[in-house]
Amino acid sequence: MTITPEIVGYCAAFLTTFSFAPQAVLTLKTRDTKTLSLVMYSMFVVGVFFWLLYGIIIQDWVIITANILTELLAIPILGMKVFNLHWGNESGRS
């Protein structure tokens, strides 16, 4: 069996993308974002968006798929962090 660059890419994309699933589930379940950094998650979501644009520009479905899925996992966490800072009972910026 030959391991192609696409197989390596999909394995890397699967592992890095779904590494966020446990955090997303935990955060959505507990609604606790006190220990999450707003700056880090904001930069991460924007960075993933740029990776998605890059994938679209070069028409690489591994990059496109991975970054769409990563955004779907990361955006709810960022949204909950912002909500908790402005309307919840979280104090201070982290």
Side-chain angles (χ1 to χ4, degrees):
M1 177 170 122
T2 303
I3 297 178
T4 65
E6 288 79 19
I7 291 172
V8 172
Y10 275 110
C11 288
F14 177 84
L15 292 171
T16 57
T17 297
F18 288 103
S19 69
F20 284 96
Q23 183 67 58
V25 169
L26 180 65
T27 301
L28 293 172
K29 187 184 282 188
T30 65
R31 305 209 179 279
D32 180 15
T33 59
K34 289 179 185 158
T35 61
L36 301 178
S37 168
L38 177 62
V39 173
M40 179 271 180
Y41 261 91
S42 298
M43 291 175 66
F44 179 74
V45 167
V46 172
V48 170
F49 176 74
F50 280 113
W51 274 114
L52 174 59
L53 287 180
Y54 174 73
I56 291 169
I57 291 167
I58 66 168
Q59 298 179 350
D60 186 319
W61 284 102
V62 174
I63 295 172
I64 294 168
T65 303
N67 288 289
I68 286 172
L69 293 174
T70 302
E71 288 285 52
L72 290 173
L73 292 169
I75 287 173
I77 295 171
L78 178 60
M80 190 163 294
K81 177 67 175 180
V82 170
F83 177 86
N84 285 344
L85 279 171
H86 293 284
W87 296 283
N89 55 6
E90 185 175 328
S91 61
R93 296 185 91 168
S94 56

